[in-house]
Short mmCIF file of all heavy atoms in Angstrom, two decimals:
data_model
loop_
_atom_site.label_atom_id
_atom_site.label_comp_id
_atom_site.label_asym_id
_atom_site.label_seq_id
_atom_site.Cartn_x
_atom_site.Cartn_y
_atom_site.Cartn_z
N GLY F 68 37.50 -30.16 3.76
CA GLY F 68 37.51 -31.61 3.62
C GLY F 68 36.34 -32.08 2.77
O GLY F 68 35.88 -31.37 1.88
N GLY F 69 35.87 -33.27 3.07
CA GLY F 69 34.79 -33.83 2.26
C GLY F 69 35.30 -34.27 0.91
O GLY F 69 36.50 -34.48 0.70
N SER F 70 34.38 -34.36 -0.05
CA SER F 70 34.75 -34.90 -1.37
C SER F 70 34.96 -33.82 -2.44
O SER F 70 35.73 -34.03 -3.38
CB SER F 70 33.64 -35.84 -1.85
OG SER F 70 32.39 -35.15 -1.87
N THR F 71 34.30 -32.67 -2.29
CA THR F 71 34.38 -31.68 -3.38
C THR F 71 35.81 -31.25 -3.72
O THR F 71 36.13 -31.11 -4.91
CB THR F 71 33.51 -30.45 -3.04
OG1 THR F 71 32.17 -30.88 -2.81
CG2 THR F 71 33.53 -29.43 -4.17
N PRO F 72 36.68 -31.02 -2.73
CA PRO F 72 38.02 -30.52 -3.08
C PRO F 72 38.90 -31.56 -3.79
O PRO F 72 39.95 -31.18 -4.32
CB PRO F 72 38.64 -30.15 -1.73
CG PRO F 72 37.55 -30.20 -0.73
CD PRO F 72 36.53 -31.16 -1.27
N ARG F 73 38.54 -32.82 -3.80
CA ARG F 73 39.40 -33.86 -4.37
C ARG F 73 39.86 -33.51 -5.78
O ARG F 73 41.03 -33.62 -6.12
CB ARG F 73 38.71 -35.22 -4.37
CG ARG F 73 38.41 -35.81 -3.02
CD ARG F 73 37.78 -37.19 -3.16
NE ARG F 73 38.77 -38.13 -3.65
CZ ARG F 73 39.47 -38.96 -2.85
NH1 ARG F 73 39.27 -38.94 -1.54
NH2 ARG F 73 40.37 -39.80 -3.34
N ALA F 74 38.90 -33.09 -6.61
CA ALA F 74 39.23 -32.83 -8.02
C ALA F 74 40.24 -31.67 -8.13
O ALA F 74 41.19 -31.73 -8.92
CB ALA F 74 37.97 -32.50 -8.80
N MET F 75 40.05 -30.65 -7.31
CA MET F 75 40.99 -29.52 -7.35
C MET F 75 42.38 -29.96 -6.88
O MET F 75 43.40 -29.63 -7.50
CB MET F 75 40.49 -28.37 -6.47
CG MET F 75 41.49 -27.25 -6.33
SD MET F 75 41.02 -25.96 -5.19
CE MET F 75 40.88 -26.87 -3.64
N PHE F 76 42.44 -30.73 -5.79
CA PHE F 76 43.74 -31.20 -5.27
C PHE F 76 44.45 -32.03 -6.34
O PHE F 76 45.66 -31.92 -6.53
CB PHE F 76 43.55 -32.03 -4.01
CG PHE F 76 43.04 -31.26 -2.81
CD1 PHE F 76 42.54 -31.95 -1.71
CD2 PHE F 76 43.04 -29.87 -2.76
CE1 PHE F 76 42.05 -31.27 -0.59
CE2 PHE F 76 42.56 -29.18 -1.65
CZ PHE F 76 42.07 -29.89 -0.57
N THR F 77 43.69 -32.86 -7.02
CA THR F 77 44.29 -33.72 -8.06
C THR F 77 44.88 -32.87 -9.19
O THR F 77 45.98 -33.15 -9.68
CB THR F 77 43.21 -34.68 -8.61
OG1 THR F 77 42.68 -35.46 -7.53
CG2 THR F 77 43.80 -35.61 -9.67
N LEU F 78 44.19 -31.79 -9.54
CA LEU F 78 44.71 -30.87 -10.57
C LEU F 78 45.99 -30.18 -10.09
O LEU F 78 46.98 -30.07 -10.82
CB LEU F 78 43.66 -29.84 -10.93
CG LEU F 78 42.45 -30.34 -11.73
CD1 LEU F 78 41.37 -29.27 -11.79
CD2 LEU F 78 42.87 -30.77 -13.13
N LEU F 79 45.99 -29.73 -8.84
CA LEU F 79 47.16 -29.02 -8.30
C LEU F 79 48.38 -29.94 -8.22
O LEU F 79 49.52 -29.48 -8.25
CB LEU F 79 46.84 -28.46 -6.91
CG LEU F 79 45.83 -27.31 -6.86
CD1 LEU F 79 45.48 -26.97 -5.40
CD2 LEU F 79 46.38 -26.07 -7.56
N ALA F 80 48.11 -31.24 -8.13
CA ALA F 80 49.21 -32.21 -7.96
C ALA F 80 49.83 -32.63 -9.28
O ALA F 80 50.74 -33.46 -9.30
CB ALA F 80 48.67 -33.45 -7.24
N ALA F 81 49.33 -32.03 -10.39
CA ALA F 81 49.84 -32.43 -11.72
C ALA F 81 50.19 -31.19 -12.53
O ALA F 81 49.69 -30.09 -12.24
CB ALA F 81 48.78 -33.25 -12.44
N PRO F 82 51.06 -31.35 -13.54
CA PRO F 82 51.30 -30.20 -14.43
C PRO F 82 49.99 -29.71 -15.04
O PRO F 82 49.08 -30.52 -15.25
CB PRO F 82 52.24 -30.79 -15.49
CG PRO F 82 52.85 -32.00 -14.86
CD PRO F 82 51.79 -32.54 -13.93
N PRO F 83 49.86 -28.41 -15.36
CA PRO F 83 50.88 -27.37 -15.20
C PRO F 83 51.02 -26.83 -13.78
O PRO F 83 51.99 -26.17 -13.46
CB PRO F 83 50.38 -26.28 -16.15
CG PRO F 83 48.89 -26.41 -16.09
CD PRO F 83 48.62 -27.89 -15.95
N PHE F 84 50.01 -27.09 -12.91
CA PHE F 84 50.04 -26.44 -11.60
C PHE F 84 51.23 -26.92 -10.75
O PHE F 84 51.96 -26.14 -10.15
CB PHE F 84 48.72 -26.67 -10.85
CG PHE F 84 47.54 -26.07 -11.54
CD1 PHE F 84 46.61 -26.86 -12.18
CD2 PHE F 84 47.37 -24.69 -11.58
CE1 PHE F 84 45.52 -26.31 -12.82
CE2 PHE F 84 46.28 -24.11 -12.22
CZ PHE F 84 45.36 -24.93 -12.84
N SER F 85 51.45 -28.23 -10.73
CA SER F 85 52.49 -28.76 -9.82
C SER F 85 53.86 -28.19 -10.16
O SER F 85 54.69 -27.98 -9.28
CB SER F 85 52.52 -30.28 -9.88
OG SER F 85 52.73 -30.70 -11.22
N ASP F 86 54.08 -27.94 -11.44
CA ASP F 86 55.39 -27.38 -11.86
C ASP F 86 55.50 -25.89 -11.58
O ASP F 86 56.59 -25.37 -11.37
CB ASP F 86 55.60 -27.59 -13.37
CG ASP F 86 55.57 -29.06 -13.75
OD1 ASP F 86 55.86 -29.90 -12.86
OD2 ASP F 86 55.23 -29.37 -14.90
N ALA F 87 54.35 -25.22 -11.55
CA ALA F 87 54.38 -23.74 -11.47
C ALA F 87 54.37 -23.22 -10.04
O ALA F 87 54.80 -22.11 -9.76
CB ALA F 87 53.19 -23.17 -12.24
N LEU F 88 53.86 -24.05 -9.12
CA LEU F 88 53.69 -23.56 -7.75
C LEU F 88 55.00 -23.63 -6.97
O LEU F 88 55.73 -24.62 -7.05
CB LEU F 88 52.59 -24.37 -7.05
CG LEU F 88 51.16 -24.01 -7.47
CD1 LEU F 88 50.19 -25.12 -7.09
CD2 LEU F 88 50.73 -22.70 -6.83
N ALA F 89 55.27 -22.57 -6.19
CA ALA F 89 56.48 -22.53 -5.35
C ALA F 89 56.17 -23.24 -4.03
O ALA F 89 55.92 -22.63 -2.98
CB ALA F 89 56.88 -21.08 -5.10
N TRP F 90 56.17 -24.57 -4.05
CA TRP F 90 55.69 -25.37 -2.92
C TRP F 90 56.43 -25.05 -1.63
O TRP F 90 55.85 -25.11 -0.54
CB TRP F 90 55.79 -26.85 -3.26
CG TRP F 90 54.85 -27.26 -4.35
CD1 TRP F 90 55.17 -27.53 -5.67
CD2 TRP F 90 53.43 -27.40 -4.25
NE1 TRP F 90 54.03 -27.82 -6.38
CE2 TRP F 90 52.95 -27.75 -5.53
CE3 TRP F 90 52.50 -27.25 -3.19
CZ2 TRP F 90 51.59 -27.97 -5.79
CZ3 TRP F 90 51.16 -27.47 -3.45
CH2 TRP F 90 50.72 -27.83 -4.73
N ARG F 91 57.72 -24.68 -1.73
CA ARG F 91 58.48 -24.42 -0.51
C ARG F 91 57.94 -23.23 0.27
O ARG F 91 58.19 -23.08 1.47
CB ARG F 91 59.97 -24.17 -0.83
CG ARG F 91 60.67 -25.31 -1.54
CD ARG F 91 62.18 -25.18 -1.47
NE ARG F 91 62.64 -25.22 -0.08
CZ ARG F 91 62.73 -26.34 0.64
NH1 ARG F 91 62.35 -27.51 0.10
NH2 ARG F 91 63.15 -26.32 1.88
N ALA F 92 57.15 -22.37 -0.40
CA ALA F 92 56.62 -21.17 0.27
C ALA F 92 55.15 -21.32 0.62
O ALA F 92 54.51 -20.37 1.09
CB ALA F 92 56.81 -19.95 -0.63
N ILE F 93 54.61 -22.50 0.39
CA ILE F 93 53.18 -22.73 0.65
C ILE F 93 53.03 -23.50 1.95
O ILE F 93 53.68 -24.51 2.18
CB ILE F 93 52.54 -23.49 -0.52
CG1 ILE F 93 52.59 -22.62 -1.79
CG2 ILE F 93 51.10 -23.88 -0.19
CD1 ILE F 93 52.10 -23.33 -3.06
#
Side-chain angles (χ1 to χ4, degrees):
S70 56
T71 303
R73 294 183 70 98
M75 173 186 61
F76 293 165
T77 302
L78 289 170
L79 291 172
F84 296 108
S85 57
D86 300 336
L88 285 162
W90 293 105
R91 301 196 62 77
I93 296 174

